[in-house]
Every structure is written in C-alpha cells, then in structure tokens.
Amino acid sequence: MEDGCLRIRRRVSVRKRNRGNPESLGASPTLAELQPAEDTEDEAAVGSRRRKTRSPEPAQENDSEEDMFGDYNSFTESSFLAQVDDLEQKCMQLLEHGTHETDSDTRDLCSEGIKNNLGMNTGSDFTDSETNEHVKRQSDLDDPGEPEPGSELSFDVPSSQILYFGNMQNSSKALGSQSAKERDGNSHKPSNANLAHSHIEQPHQDNDFSNVGASSEMSRRKSIRDHLKSAMAGNARAQTPVFPRTKQLRETLLSEEISVAKKAIESPSDDLGPFYSLPSKVRDLYVQLKGIRKLYDWQHTCLTLRSVQERKNLIYSLPTSGGKTLVAEILMLQELLCRQKDVLMILPYVAIVQEKVSSLSSFGIELGFFVEEYAGGKGRFPPIKRREKKSLYIATIEKGHSLVNALIEAGRISTLGLVVVDELHMIGEGSRGAILEMTLAKVLYTSKTTQIIGMSATLNNVEDLQAFLKAEYYTSQFRPVELKEFLKVNDTIYEVDGRAADGMTFSRLLSYKYSDALKKMDPDRLVALVTEVIPNYSCLVFCPSKKNCENVAEMLCKFLSKDYLNHRKKEKCEVIKNLRNVGHGKVCPVLKRTVPFGVAYHHSGLTSDERKLLEEAYSTGVLCLFTCTSTLAAGVNLPARRVILRAPYVANSFLKRNQYKQMIGRAGRAGIDTAGESILLLQEKDKQQVLELINGPLESCYSHLVEEFTKGIQSLFLSLIGLKIATSLGDIYQFMNGTFFGVQQKILLKEKSLWEITVDALEHLTEKGLLQKDSHGDSEGLQCHFRITKLGQASYKGAIDLAYCDTLYRDLKKGLEGLVLESLLHLVYLTTPYDLAAQSEPDWMVYFRQFSQLSPAEQNVAALLGVSEGFIGKKASGQAIRKKVDKNVVNRLYLSFVLYSLLKETNVWSVSEKFNMPRGYIQNLLMGAASFSSCVLHFCEELEEFWVYKALLVELTKKLTYCVKAELIPLMEVTGVLEGRAKQLYSAGYRSVMHLASANPEVLVKTIDHLSRRQAKQIVFSAKMLLHEKAEALQEEAEELLRLPADLPGLGGSNSERAGSHAGNETLC
C-alpha cells in the first residue's frame, strides 16, 4: 500500500480481488478496462508485499461475526476504520454536550474521508481525470492476477459489498448536504434528529445486516464500525454474483450488428453484410449447433436473387435432401431480426412441428426472439402481442389457418412479415389442401406487406401456383449426395437410365446363396439386398401396409446371421429397456424379437413415445433397418444409404410419381454417404406401368376448395363474412377469383360457373342458419350483403366442420338438460370427434362387457343418449333388433368408453388390450379428441347459453392433451418431452420447467438413459424458451395493467395528447 496507510492484518486467507470504483461495478466495461494492468513493481517487490499481507495463521472457515472480529482491535490511527471511529466519537461528544450547531468542518472531514478511502463520487463535478487517477492508484495498491487465456473476465464482488458501497455513497451525500442546509438557517431540529440524517442506512437483509427501521435510540446510534464489521461478515457468507464482461460485450456487439443489418437490408446495395444481411453470430450458431460451415451454391444463388431482396413472393423446388429448409430459416431470421416482424412457418405434421420448434429454440434464446408451437392442443388465439421481441409461430396446417384468422380479427395481420409453407404440393391434397389454400388466400387479400415463401420437392404445374401466389420461381436439380435408381425383377437388377430405349440398363445379378426354405420365405430376395448394407450402413424398406411392415421385419430377423446380435449389443438392450419403460412394463412382441438384430418396424400403430425412441436409435446407428409405410417419407428426416420399395403399391393403389420421388429421396445422407441407392422391387406384370412411373412427369396438384364442400368453400365464406374481409356477394366473388381454385376454374369447372357456385354456397349457409341476408340494399345482385349469425360465428371460431355444427349444437343443448358431472364420461362423449366415430366399428362383446361395468351415474349418461344395455347385449349375441337406435350415437359412445378408460388409467397398453385396438390408433384418437375439445371450447365461448361448458372444457382439454399424472404435465409442456422422457426426468429430480431450463446438458446425458447430447441441448433450450415466454407474458400483462389509459377522462387537451402519445411509457405507478 501507499506510505502512511498501514495494512490491516486478516485472519482469513482469501484471494485478493481488484475492486474498481464502486460506481462502475454495475456498468459495462470499457475497452481500456479489459486490458490487463501493467505491473508497476518488479517481481521481488510484488512477492515481498504478498508475503507481508499473508496471515501467518492457516486459513479457516468462520460463520459468525464473533469468530472474525471478536476482540480484534488493531485499528491504527491512520487506518480508515480508526478515522471513522474518531469521527463518530466527535459526533457523540457533541450530542453529550447538547450542542445544537453542527460542526461543518467535522462533516466535511467525514465526507472527505469516506470519499478518499472508498473512491466515492459525492459531487456532480467528479471528473474523468480523477477517475483515471483513482483507478491507477487502485492498480498500484492491488496486484491483479493475469486472467487465464479464454477465461471470462468478470467482477467477483459480493452482493453485500455492492449494497454497502451504495449506502455509504448515499450517507456521504447526506453528510455533505447537511451543512448547506444549516447555513441557510433551516436547521431547527434537536441534535439527535440531525445525527439521524448522517446515519448510514442499511436496508433489511437476510444475512444479518443492521436494521434501519429500529425505533430505539441505541439502534439509531449504532456504531459505523459495527456496520462495517457486519458487512464484512456478510461478505464472508454471501454468495458471490458474477457480472460477465464478455457476455455484456457480446450482447452489445449483437445489438450493433442487428442495427447495421437493418440498414443494410433496407438499402439497394448488393453488400449482404456478414452473413446474408444477418449478424455474424447467426453464422457462428449454424457452425456450433448444426455443423453448417458453408452454403451450397444453389442456396447462395437463391438467397441473392433480386426477387428475394425485393421481398417478392417465392416458390422454390429441389429434390429431397437438397437443403431447402436452410434457405427458409435464413429468410425467417432476416424478418425477425432485421425487419422486426413476426413469422409463420406452416408444416404438414405435428411431429415435424415439434422437431422444428426444438431445433430453432436455441436460435431464439441466443438471438432474442420467441419460438411458439401451434400443434395439437397447443397454441393461443390470438397470440400474445409482444412489444419488443418478435415471435416465430411454427404451426400445422389447421392451426396455421386458425392463427391467421385470429390475427385478422385482432387487426394485427400486418405484424406478420413472412409466411413459409413447407411441402407446398399438399395444397392439392383433400381437405387439408383446402385449408392451406384458404390460409394463403386470406394473407394475400388482407396484407400487402406479408411475403409468402413456398417450397417443395414435387411440383409440376408451378405456373398455376405462381399465378395464385403472385410469386417468382426458382428450381435446381442439386443433390448433395448422388442418387442412383435401380429396379429389381426376379434376380436381376437394372439401373434406371433415361437415355436407354426402354428406360433401364442391366446392372448385375444377385449372387446371394438361397436355400429352398429361404426362397419360399423370401421370394423377393430382401435378405440379400439388406445384408449388402447393414449393419454398418442404414437401410429403409417401404412396405404397402402396416401389417406387412411387421411381417417383413420378423422374416428378415429369422434369416439374419447371429453375428448381428453382437453389433452394439449393449445399446440395443438399452432400447428395449426404454421401450419397456414407456410401455408401462410391456414391449411389443415383434419389437422384442427384432430390435436385438438392429431391425424395427415404423408406422402409425406405434405410440408417440415408441416412435420417438426408435427414431433416436436409428439416427444414432443403434438400429440399422426400418420396415416402414409411405408416411415416413413425408415425416421426420430419417435418411438411409439404401432405400428399398417392397412393391409399387401403397395399400391397394398403384404408386404415384410424387410418392415415389419422396420415398427414394430418403436415400443418401449428406456428410456421411458418397452415394445413395434406391431399389424398386416389381413383378413382370407391373414392369410397363413402373417404367411409365419412373420416366413420367410429376402429378399436377389441383384445388380441393369446392370438392371439400363443408370444409372448403362453405367454411371459407363463413369466415370471410365473420372476419369482415368480404361481406357482399360481389366482394366474395372477387375474393374467389383470387384463390387457387379461381386460377384453375377453367380446368375444374365443367357444369357450373364460379358465380353459380358462389351463389349456391351462400344460399346453403343461409338455409342452415349460419348466415343472414342484410335487409338493406340490393338483396339479389352484387351489392347483396350478408351478416353472420351467432351459430355461424361459433362454428368458424371453433373451426368446426360445417357438416357437424348443427349436430354439435343439438348435443350441447340436450346436455344442458341433464349434464352428468359425477364422472367425466358425459363431457368426454361431447368432445369425441364425429368423423372418427363415423369410421369406427365397435367390438360388440367388448362393448357389452364395458357397458355392464358402468356405475349408476355412467349408466345415466347412456340412458340420456338413448343407448340401453339390452340393445348392446342383443348386438353382442347377434339377435335381431327392431328398435331403431342412431348408429352414430352408438359408435361415438363406444369411442367415449375408450377415451374415458384412458383418462382413468393413463396407460395406452392396458386400454389397447381391453378394447382389442392398436395402441397407435388409441393415441391418435386421444390426440383427435384433445384437438376437438379445444374446438368445442371456442364454439361454446361464442354462445352465452353454453357458459357452463367453458370452465369444464378448459380442464378436460388439458387432461386429453397430456393424459398423464398431474406431476408430469409441467415437464410435458416442453416441446419434444413425451410421457416416457418426462418420467425419466421426473425420477432424476427434474420436476419443473425451471429445473430443465437450468439443467446442464452434459449432466442430463449422464443421468437420463438413451439421451443424446443433441437431444439434451434441445430439451434445455426448449425449456428456456418456454420459461422466457411465460415470464415475458406476465411482464407485459403487468405493464399493460399499469399503463396510463390514453382516453383517461378529466385530462386537459395537451395532457390528453401526451397521454395518448406516451401511453406506452407512462404508468400508473
């Protein structure tokens, strides 16, 4: 230390820390502060000083102030504590002599002493030169250690120390200002009151800080020295917070880069900045999280297209595995970060939505935007309005439509900057295609600033889609891995060659030696084809049906060598163990026999937990072969070295070229394989048809808007009028001309014109009581206006199929007459989907057995519905029945029994055995019921007479969505965490979203069986995202409540204007 200031000897050995100016403790560090201080003393001097400051006694832990400071009074006259003690004694002497005048010199001395010793800024004229001098003096006093390379520079300052410095500063300000007040003649208080002004105040703390609020005289006069002792004791006990400098620098740098990117993306210049108009951190995240270091040439070309830079709508098409999604992600990040707009991404299936939410949550956490899931029972309508951070909505086709409706109704559709549609060709597939068409047509009509990006691997009539979306088109035949197509006829394999006369050339003969028994069991030579690649490489075998998948898997394992059992044997045992855990102690017998060989089947008969486990095992190479249905080709990305098509059929229908291209597109894994192979097995009788298939064009996609009458055009018109997008006949007709159907009307319409179809649909809705003609104005021509009825409003708000909306209304109305609440059965019946009931056929013996076990209250439900035990008994025994009973009601009640049993037992396996149904079907039924329950809830919210259902259906929807024990629900709110994984996490001590958000991925990998590092990181990031969303929602709700209303009565003109213009900044408190 400097001469004249002796060191205070300490009993407890601690690492010396360089403490800067207390005012700068919470501030961001400057560049100068980050540079290491230069040594001002030679090594010998430094070593000598360190030896002097080190206590001769060994280091020991102390938990009490008495242990540290009990009889420790070695405060010399020149020490800071001694000066403080002297000043306090002077003040006490003044009080004892009853002096009412304050010694200003004493106060100045006290203030100056504190300022000099602690470096406090007590005046407003504290200059930069004084600060620099103080920092230099501090660096001379304390020898800061050199930071380790790569280590994070941080402030290691105890919280109690920061608090103490702050209070000392306040105290010194009070002491300095007191003399000025007294010189003005305003001091007429007694001495003890004056002393109270100079007393250092300490807020109440849990770690034994002194209590300012004590009322006794002795408490107010408590020694400053005791305060310091208490603070030091608190320092010893308090946990040291860390203020990372590098984190602050990173956040500042990211903010600056985003600001630069905003300007760059708005300028006409060709300079795209660090990473396609995005901050360099985005590029680093792609390297770190996805291993992507460089874009393909086509991706660079697509992102630099003039049409993309001008934000025109775009359709682009490439083969499967070409890297289409990365381009869409970069465009979405540009919209979120640079243009500060929300983004909607529409994906075809729930599983793909969940996979994408998990993978992008890490980007959201790092870059400061929200990733929200809209699938199944998840999603909020309208979405939360966020003022600062923007949202990426990832939705299924149906949820995406509901989201767009909600944004239009709330007047917020302009906040949606970009809509991305994956698998755009699905616009031509049935009712889901009709819903996708309605969604895009509404966006085009209501928001001229929203950009639409569509992508697909299988598009043919692109011109029609371009005309509909008013979009540019980009295509490429690029594949990162070369794909070779083969055909197998008997034992001969041909390579597909478009230049050959018949479209194929001879490749080779199969040389695998087949016994007579093997030839009989495996006539297609599948064993020979798969053993050429497994177990070192992966293989997919597409089969026509679910049953065929299971049979082929078992057949292959019967003839595979026993050596396959030893390949990654331990990990395969873990897979079976995990399957048993998610199956409540049971494993599918087929999987139990095939998994040890590295083989499994994959189709909709599996539960979500089973499917996820098997997909994880396949991705990591533990399983090397899947026998699967065509749905895997459009689902999650599971590529393979070789893809085998068992037959050119899907169920009983001949394969379409679109389906064929999607299946073979799974062959070849980028970064792993140098080539991919596809082999289509066929019989001689199918040879000509297969050649036409592989050499022909892709199928065109056509609008299903009119074909799907109740889910299509009628639903569209109802929502157009309900949302006030178009309310007159002329406006509706104009809207229809802008749809995909309107573009294709010359091809699709043969008998009626578009005008006639529009008029007929509106008349049908009016007859059903969903619309009313406006009595004012023209009731027949273009200016004929319509308005929606309450029932129509409820139907479109609840997204109810219009074929069932009147039936649902009657069922709910009848339910009010005698709603049975002693059990959930009645409510479950009301939320059982109508379309699934129409497709089911009960097992009458099972039905009768379950009916006979009903409680009296549950039998009352059946009686109210008109279904008697006698009727079910006669059906089970095959007797003739004279009395007519509604078949749809009977079938729906049967499915209600299945759902009711599932809610009571939460065990898919036991319910599957009880009702003799595939467990995958039961889980799909549960998901459908959860979704329909949510729809019925929104339906009831629009009709006051059904107010009683609102609270009941909120809880039921939650039960149907998760269908697990209550303690697992918080964990299952995290995207990608299903029941099996939730049980593992819960058993390991992770009981809440906060636990998962705070978890270390490395610890999770070691703690949770069969959890990869990538999956662990995704779970942690998803939990963090969910936690941030909830916290942000609560914070914004609180700010909204406290904000000063813009239209507050009683304010003057100027005040009124100020309240309106600054409503976002002014609060009530």
Side-chain angles (χ1 to χ4, degrees), residues 582-881:
V582 301
H584 298 272
K586 297 182 180 180
V587 182
C588 170
V590 176
L591 292 175
K592 194 173 182 179
R593 289 190 290 268
T594 62
V595 167
F597 287 91
V599 178
Y601 65 86
H602 186 288
H603 57 60
S604 60
L606 293 167
T607 66
S608 300
D609 284 296
E610 289 174 320
R611 195 157 52 242
K612 192 171 184 67
L613 271 174
L614 294 175
E615 287 169 358
E616 290 170 359
Y618 179 87
S619 299
T620 54
V622 177
L623 298 179
C624 54
L625 188 147
F626 267 168
T627 57
C628 50
T629 54
S630 59
T631 52
L632 184 139
V636 293
N637 187 23
L638 294 173
R641 175 66 173 267
R642 175 175 291 180
V643 170
I644 301 171
L645 280 68
R646 174 82 169 71
Y649 292 91
V650 174
N652 296 322
S653 303
F654 198 81
L655 199 63
K656 295 179 181 179
R657 180 160 174 78
N658 288 351
Q659 294 171 323
Y660 171 74
K661 294 294 283 185
Q662 275 197 323
M663 290 182 193
I664 67 171
R666 294 299 184 195
R669 298 171 297 175
I672 300 175
D673 299 326
T674 55
E677 303 171 343
S678 72
I679 303 175
L680 172 58
L681 281 55
L682 64 145
Q683 307 295 326
E684 281 288 351
K685 63 183 180 66
D686 295 323
K687 186 175 180 180
Q688 189 57 41
Q689 201 172 356
V690 166
L691 290 174
E692 293 174 4
L693 167 74
I694 61 176
N695 294 312
L698 293 165
E699 290 82 8
S700 298
C701 57
Y702 296 104
S703 171
H704 282 71
L705 194 60
V706 173
E707 186 178 332
E708 296 289 335
F709 197 55
T710 56
K711 288 186 177 180
I713 190 170
Q714 284 191 3
S715 178
L716 172 63
F717 288 175
L718 197 63
S719 62
L720 288 179
I721 296 166
L723 294 169
K724 295 180 173 55
I725 296 173
T727 57
S728 70
L729 181 57
D731 290 343
I732 294 171
Y733 177 68
Q734 182 184 354
F735 185 96
M736 279 298 295
N737 275 299
T739 61
F740 189 41
F741 181 85
V743 171
Q744 296 182 323
Q745 57 181 298
K746 292 182 179 178
I747 303 171
L748 299 175
L749 294 177
K750 303 297 181 183
E751 298 176 358
K752 291 184 178 181
S753 66
L754 182 59
W755 172 265
E756 291 173 324
I757 287 175
T758 302
V759 171
D760 288 349
L762 288 169
E763 287 182 354
H764 186 81
L765 290 170
T766 305
E767 291 171 3
K768 288 191 71 171
L770 302 174
L771 290 179
Q772 286 181 346
K773 284 187 180 180
D774 202 328
S775 57
H776 303 287
D778 186 2
S779 61
E780 297 297 335
L782 289 172
Q783 297 305 314
C784 175
H785 283 265
F786 295 86
R787 55 190 174 85
I788 196 166
T789 64
K790 287 186 176 180
L791 179 60
Q793 181 91 352
S795 298
Y796 101 80
K797 282 284 191 74
I800 304 295
D801 186 345
L802 299 186
Y804 303 115
C805 66
D806 50 352
T807 307
L808 175 62
Y809 179 82
R810 287 196 302 269
D811 286 346
L812 292 170
K813 189 78 173 176
K814 187 177 180 181
L816 290 178
E817 298 173 6
L819 188 61
V820 178
L821 296 179
E822 291 182 53
S823 76
L824 286 173
L825 181 60
H826 201 167
L827 282 174
V828 169
Y829 171 81
L830 292 172
T831 56
T832 301
Y834 289 99
D835 53 346
L836 293 180
Q839 300 166 11
S840 70
E841 188 62 39
D843 183 324
W844 295 105
M845 286 302 297
V846 173
Y847 203 163
F848 180 73
R849 191 183 311 121
Q850 294 301 314
F851 203 106
S852 61
Q853 295 174 4
L854 295 178
S855 67
E858 292 159 355
Q859 288 179 357
N860 286 341
V861 175
L864 286 169
L865 299 174
V867 181
S868 66
E869 187 175 0
F871 171 81
I872 303 298
K874 288 181 179 180
K875 291 290 289 184
S877 61
Q879 298 180 32
I881 300 172

Side-chain angles (χ1 to χ4, degrees), residues 864-933:
L864 286 169
L865 299 174
V867 181
S868 66
E869 187 175 0
F871 171 81
I872 303 298
K874 288 181 179 180
K875 291 290 289 184
S877 61
Q879 298 180 32
I881 300 172
R882 296 177 183 178
K883 183 181 177 181
K884 288 186 178 180
V885 178
D886 191 333
K887 181 183 176 182
N888 290 327
V889 173
V890 174
N891 291 1
R892 195 171 178 221
L893 182 60
Y894 182 68
L895 293 185
S896 302
F897 283 178
V898 177
L899 290 168
Y900 184 51
S901 297
L902 194 56
L903 287 178
K904 288 194 297 183
E905 300 179 31
T906 67
N907 186 335
V908 173
W909 276 88
S910 64
V911 176
S912 171
E913 293 174 355
K914 185 184 293 183
F915 288 89
N916 194 24
M917 286 181 169
R919 58 194 182 280
Y921 173 83
I922 290 175
Q923 195 166 62
N924 290 335
L925 171 65
L926 181 66
M927 292 172 63
S931 182
F932 187 63
S933 178

Side-chain angles (χ1 to χ4, degrees), residues 501-515:
D502 56 355
M504 60 182 189
T505 55
F506 174 81
S507 177
R508 62 188 174 96
L509 288 171
L510 281 177
S511 58
Y512 192 87
K513 293 182 180 180
Y514 266 70
S515 64

